[in-house]
């Protein structure tokens, strides 16, 4: 049996980067006196890259049958490009450097996801036991990042992030090549699967969930700062959400044995309506803020695990690389960047309340889509 340890190691290092970038990068950009719109544009680059990059890299990987070379090469290039960010504080310098870095950074994760999903296909719950190490990596940096920046200063943020991306590149060297074993059924064009109503509904739900999270990843830290939370408290609240995420990932094998994937997707969207509604009206309350962060276990972990499981079930093995890429494009790419950019337009006109009310509304639309169209086809395997 193929060892899953290299994949766990990759997830850990990959999400230590996210644990530093997501809570603190917006604060760094604010320290450079950028406007809310400029911050939303720069923050959206990571999600915009997921529109272009995963589809291209997934197609290349499926065509060549060699995912590992792409994972290693793009991880190295992403780290090298990000090292340029800290050399100048101008908007356009940071824009170009980030755009290049994120284009390569967005390549590796869908391919690693496809390999992990394939290796755990007989027991999809095992995927969550591997993926949980990404959540642990996120917590490590989110919890310590605020104290680290208090010690080194906010100006050190680009260099800390660059060092973490170098760690991702080193972990990529350990990821093995994974190819389907034995003969597989011939697969028709991927479009034949994509045009099925349930598949379109799945991608619509992923888009709406990511759209709802777009303002969260862009403006949540700024909202906390506006209500008087310091950098350490910001990091703790981000980490709190991921601690609960870890718990759900660990329990996922048991959850998946009891509930259908479609029901889990619906639960994640309902939780998002509640979570972002609470953030919109009660972020000033530490207790409410903590409870809303606890719901991250459902809005992210439950959603992501069910989406990966549904994609693995709905698509032929020959299409898994592209399907994972399309999932990233539809959700974190188009959805996340759209939510973040529109949030940048809404934020100056009321801040937290209207911005996160928009997030709750997007998740509510997702609930209706899930109820109406996301259903298992007759005879489809569980």
């Amino acid at each position: 049996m193929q060892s899953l340890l290299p994949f766990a190691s990759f997830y850990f290092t990959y999400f230590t980067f996210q644990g530093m970038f997501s809570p603190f990068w917006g604060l760094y950009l604010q320290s450079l006196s950028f406007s809310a719109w400029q911050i939303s544009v720069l923050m959206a680059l990571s999600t915009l890259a997921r529109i272009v990059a995963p589809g291209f890299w997934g197609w290349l990987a499926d065509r060549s049958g060699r995912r590992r070379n792409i994972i290693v090469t793009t991880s190295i290039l992403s780290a090298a490009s990000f090292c340029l960010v800290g050399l100048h504080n101008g908007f356009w310098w940071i824009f170009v450097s980030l755009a290049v870095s994120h284009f390569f950074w967005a390549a590796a994760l869908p391919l690693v996801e496809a390999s992990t999903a394939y290796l755990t296909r007989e027991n999809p719950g095992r995927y969550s036991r591997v993926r949980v190490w990404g959540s642990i990596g996120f917590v490590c940096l989110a919890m310590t990042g605020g104290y680290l920046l208090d010690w080194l200063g906010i100006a050190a943020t680009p260099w800390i992030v660059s060092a973490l991306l170098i760690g991702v590149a080193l972990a990529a060297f350990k990821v093995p090549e994974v190819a389907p074993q034995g003969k597989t059924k011939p697969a028709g064009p991927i479009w034949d699967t994509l045009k099925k109503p349930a598949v379109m509904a799945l991608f619509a739900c992923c888009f709406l969930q990511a759209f709802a999270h777009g303002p969260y990843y862009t403006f949540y830290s700024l909202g906390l700062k506006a209500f008087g939370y310091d950098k350490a408290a910001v990091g703790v609240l981000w980490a709190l959400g991921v601690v609960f995420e870890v718990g759900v990932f660990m329990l996922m094998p048991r959850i998946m044995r009891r509930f259908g994937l479609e029901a889990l997707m619906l639960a994640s969207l309902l939780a998002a309506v509640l979570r972002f509604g609470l953030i919109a009206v009660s972020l000033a309350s530490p207790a409410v803020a903590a409870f809303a962060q606890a719901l991250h276990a459902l809005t992210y972990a439950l959603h992501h695990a069910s989406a990966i499981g549904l994609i693995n079930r709905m698509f032929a093995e020959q299409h898994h690389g592209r399907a994972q890429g399309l999932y990233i494009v539809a959700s974190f790419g188009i959805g996340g960047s759209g939510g973040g950019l529109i949030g940048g337009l809404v934020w100056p006109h009321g801040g937290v309340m209207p911005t996160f009310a928009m997030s709750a509304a997007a998740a509510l639309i997702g609930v209706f889509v899930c109820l109406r169209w996301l259903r298992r086809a007759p005879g489809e395997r569980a």
Side-chain angles (χ1 to χ4, degrees):
M1 181 180 292
Q2 178 76 61
S3 172
L4 296 174
L5 183 59
F7 298 95
S9 176
F10 181 87
Y11 283 125
F12 180 87
T13 56
Y14 189 92
F15 284 95
T16 57
F17 158 77
Q18 288 281 62
M20 191 70 200
F21 188 87
S22 294
F24 303 113
W25 191 249
L27 298 177
Y28 169 72
L29 296 176
Q30 188 182 55
S31 75
L32 301 180
S33 300
F34 290 146
S35 68
W37 173 247
Q38 288 176 314
I39 291 172
S40 67
V41 169
L42 293 174
M43 291 294 288
L45 285 175
S46 63
T47 48
L48 286 169
R50 294 169 176 175
I51 298 174
V52 179
F56 169 74
W57 295 114
W59 168 83
L60 187 61
D62 284 347
R63 188 175 179 84
S64 67
R66 300 186 66 82
R67 294 173 184 163
R68 182 181 182 276
N69 290 346
I70 296 174
I71 293 169
V72 172
T73 301
T74 56
S75 296
I76 293 172
L77 292 174
S78 175
S81 302
F82 203 97
C83 289
L84 300 174
V85 173
L87 299 180
H88 195 278
N89 290 338
F91 174 81
W92 288 109
W93 177 273
I94 294 176
F95 179 93
V96 173
S97 301
L98 275 181
V100 173
S101 179
H102 285 318
F103 175 74
F104 294 116
W105 166 80
L109 185 61
L111 301 180
V112 173
E113 294 274 49
S115 295
T116 308
Y118 176 77
L119 293 174
T120 58
R121 66 196 180 280
E122 299 301 328
N123 182 4
R126 288 183 66 219
Y127 161 83
S128 300
R129 296 285 176 88
V130 181
R131 175 58 180 77
V132 72
W133 286 98
S135 303
I136 294 170
F138 187 102
V139 169
C140 288
L141 264 294
M143 288 288 288
T144 60
Y147 298 103
L148 191 61
L149 292 177
D150 282 338
W151 177 43
L152 297 176
I154 194 72
T157 306
W159 305 113
I160 298 171
V161 173
S162 296
L164 295 172
L165 283 173
I166 292 171
V168 175
L170 294 174
F173 279 97
K174 297 292 185 179
V175 174
E177 189 66 74
V178 175
Q181 300 296 315
K183 295 182 179 179
T184 58
K185 296 179 180 179
I190 194 172
W191 173 247
D192 290 344
T193 304
L194 288 170
K195 66 184 181 182
K196 294 178 180 178
V199 176
M200 290 191 287
L202 170 62
F203 282 109
C205 290
C206 293
F207 165 82
L208 290 163
Q209 184 75 297
F211 185 96
H213 281 72
Y216 169 73
Y217 289 116
T218 305
F219 292 108
Y220 182 66
S221 293
L222 300 183
L224 291 174
K225 183 180 178 182
F227 281 111
Y229 295 85
D230 60 21
K231 286 193 287 293
V234 170
V236 167
L237 280 170
W238 276 87
L240 179 65
V242 185
V243 167
F244 282 93
E245 172 188 313
V246 168
V248 168
F249 273 134
M250 294 299 292
L251 293 172
M252 196 58 67
R254 189 177 303 173
I255 293 171
M256 283 185 169
R257 284 195 295 268
R258 186 165 183 176
F259 300 100
L261 294 172
E262 292 82 0
L264 298 180
M265 177 63 69
L266 176 61
S268 75
L269 289 162
L270 287 168
V273 176
L274 175 60
R275 180 189 186 191
F276 295 122
L278 289 174
I279 291 175
V281 299
S282 299
L283 189 60
S285 166
V288 175
F291 176 72
Q293 284 301 88
L295 290 174
H296 187 73
L298 304 182
T299 68
Y300 180 77
L302 195 68
H303 169 81
H304 181 65
S306 60
I308 293 293
L310 286 164
I311 289 169
N312 194 49
R313 191 182 79 196
M314 291 176 170
F315 287 85
E317 288 178 358
Q318 297 92 323
H319 296 154
H320 280 176
R322 274 171 288 178
Q324 293 293 344
L326 289 171
Y327 162 59
I328 298 295
V329 169
S331 57
F332 303 108
I334 300 173
S337 60
L341 288 171
I342 295 175
L345 297 175
V346 175
W347 184 263
H349 304 286
V352 168
M353 196 280 179
T355 305
F356 286 95
M358 178 185 73
S359 293
L364 184 60
I365 296 171
V367 169
F368 291 122
V369 171
C370 189
L371 285 170
R372 177 66 179 84
W373 289 289
L374 189 61
R375 298 176 184 179
R376 184 182 302 172
E380 189 176 33
R381 65 188 177 92

